[in-house]
Amino acid sequence: MHAAAGPGRWHPSGHRPILCPMDAPIPLFDTGLARRRLARARTVGYADFLLARAVEDLEDRLGAVLRRFADALDLATPTPAAALSLAAGGRSGSVLRLSPVPEAPDGLARAVGDPEALPFAPGSFDLAVSLLALQHVNDLPGTLVQLRRALRPDGLFVGCLLGGRSLTELRQAFAAAESEVEDGISPRVAPFAEVRDLGGLMQRAGFALPVTDTETLTVRYADPFALMRDLRAMGLTNVLTERRRTPLRRATLVRAAEIYADRFADPDGRLRASFEILWVSGWAPHESQQKPLKPGSARARLADALNTREIDPDSIPAERSPR
């Protein structure tokens, strides 16, 4: 992670915010555009295969927690799938959904809001979940701090977001095509968080016992255009503030498709697309939680536990250097 110097905020990918002459940071993502594209995707038919997998994984992860939660928050998951799963599974007494876009009534308590400006009092929930949403916030550290404050002591946060290995094939194909056709590269795929960053971000936000892990899903397509249609149907098209504003040239698109097919085709001709899912969990601190022992506080010898003899390193003869 990089340390911020000055008034700018940092995205977990390490990208520096762009400063205007008055030193006001320009956000990395156009969040208004992101919400409009998500709303459009849901209107025409949301491609939910990644989210459905994430909801199944969430159910498994919560199944390992032997307690019931009184009040749960679903933070900005693209559809109500996670909130409906929590309500149906009886894991929580009540579920509140903070939706990124307006939604039709379905029996859930909900509000429309910004995950970077949570409208909740401290200690409002004892469970918070967020699936495939936080990769587009401009201030992930600040969002995590707000989440931790919204949890009661010993409250749990479980979430997932797209990671840095996502769409690596598409990125490589477009970079190579633009270099050939246009003699330059424009930002088309957002910088994603890395798993090594998330644990540190959770600790900085004040979470106890943070855990991170990653899973890469490979989806196969007949051609790159089918992948691009799915990305549009998930609202995951380019929402970078500094995105290129001119239309994509047809020659560049065709060349990118050719490179994709040349480099990332399986023997049967179908093309691979990688989606890295980063999972993170952590607890709001509480005195009942386990704490690491202080160095030197052990009361038993490791040799006794292993039923072996401890060797004094000073008794081992030193090796003689060959002449």
Side-chain angles (χ1 to χ4, degrees):
M1 290 298 296
H2 298 275
R9 292 187 293 185
W10 291 75
H11 188 265
S13 64
H15 281 63
R16 185 188 299 271
I18 302 165
L19 301 182
C20 69
M22 297 300 292
D23 283 345
I26 298 175
L28 185 61
F29 299 111
D30 184 339
T31 53
L33 178 63
R35 292 183 189 121
R36 292 193 297 273
R37 290 186 174 173
L38 174 60
R40 181 182 64 187
R42 291 187 50 179
T43 298
V44 300
Y46 185 81
D48 67 350
F49 60 95
L50 285 182
L51 183 56
R53 173 64 176 266
V55 171
E56 291 180 4
D57 287 351
L58 176 67
E59 292 172 351
D60 290 343
R61 290 165 187 269
L62 291 178
V65 181
L66 302 179
R67 61 180 281 190
R68 190 171 184 272
F69 301 95
D71 300 291
L73 169 68
D74 170 23
L75 178 63
T77 300
T79 78
L84 291 171
S85 174
L86 289 174
R91 300 290 305 177
S92 177
S94 67
V95 180
L96 174 63
R97 170 163 165 75
L98 187 69
S99 173
V101 296
E103 297 174 335
D106 54 12
L108 291 173
R110 59 162 44 82
V112 178
D114 183 353
E116 297 190 67
L118 300 188
F120 307 117
S124 296
F125 307 96
D126 47 14
L127 173 65
V129 303
S130 180
L131 304 184
L132 300 179
L134 299 183
Q135 67 270 359
H136 279 162
V137 300
N138 285 297
D139 185 13
L140 182 55
T143 299
L144 292 176
V145 169
Q146 294 182 66
L147 260 177
R148 195 261 304 158
R149 290 173 179 167
L151 288 172
R152 297 173 188 135
D154 206 31
L156 173 64
F157 166 59
V158 181
C160 70
L161 60 160
L162 292 177
R165 294 191 181 97
S166 297
L167 302 176
T168 181
E169 303 89 352
L170 184 65
R171 284 186 276 184
Q172 291 181 40
F174 264 113
E178 286 189 315
S179 294
E180 289 183 21
V181 177
E182 304 184 32
D183 295 324
I185 299 175
S186 62
R188 295 193 178 277
V189 180
F192 296 117
E194 299 288 346
V195 66
R196 63 179 179 269
D197 297 325
L198 286 180
L201 289 177
M202 292 287 286
Q203 289 180 322
R204 285 173 50 191
F207 282 96
L209 309 173
V211 176
T212 60
D213 61 271
T214 180
E215 177 185 17
T216 299
L217 305 178
T218 300
V219 184
R220 303 203 313 149
Y221 290 92
D223 55 62
F225 305 106
L227 166 61
M228 296 176 199
R229 286 193 293 271
D230 269 356
L231 294 177
R232 190 175 300 111
M234 288 186 280
L236 293 179
T237 50
N238 190 355
V239 293
L240 291 170
T241 301
E242 294 299 308
R243 65 191 179 278
R244 180 173 171 172
R245 305 305 173 106
T246 56
L248 176 64
R249 291 166 60 173
R250 179 176 176 79
T252 304
L253 180 60
V254 170
R255 182 58 184 141
E258 292 172 347
I259 293 171
Y260 203 126
D262 288 342
R263 296 185 183 180
F264 304 109
D266 287 331
D268 62 359
R270 296 185 69 82
L271 308 182
R272 302 183 301 276
S274 300
F275 294 89
E276 184 184 30
I277 311 298
L278 305 184
W279 282 93
V280 60
S281 65
W283 298 82
H286 187 265
E287 60 184 9
S288 66
Q289 294 165 353
Q290 294 180 344
K291 297 178 176 59
L293 296 175
K294 296 180 180 179
S297 61
R299 298 184 179 181
R301 296 167 64 246
L302 180 60
D304 294 338
L306 299 177
N307 194 27
T308 187
R309 183 172 64 89
E310 183 175 8
I311 299 176
D312 184 353
D314 292 336
S315 67
I316 302 175
E319 290 189 10
R320 297 183 64 182
S321 300
R323 295 185 180 180

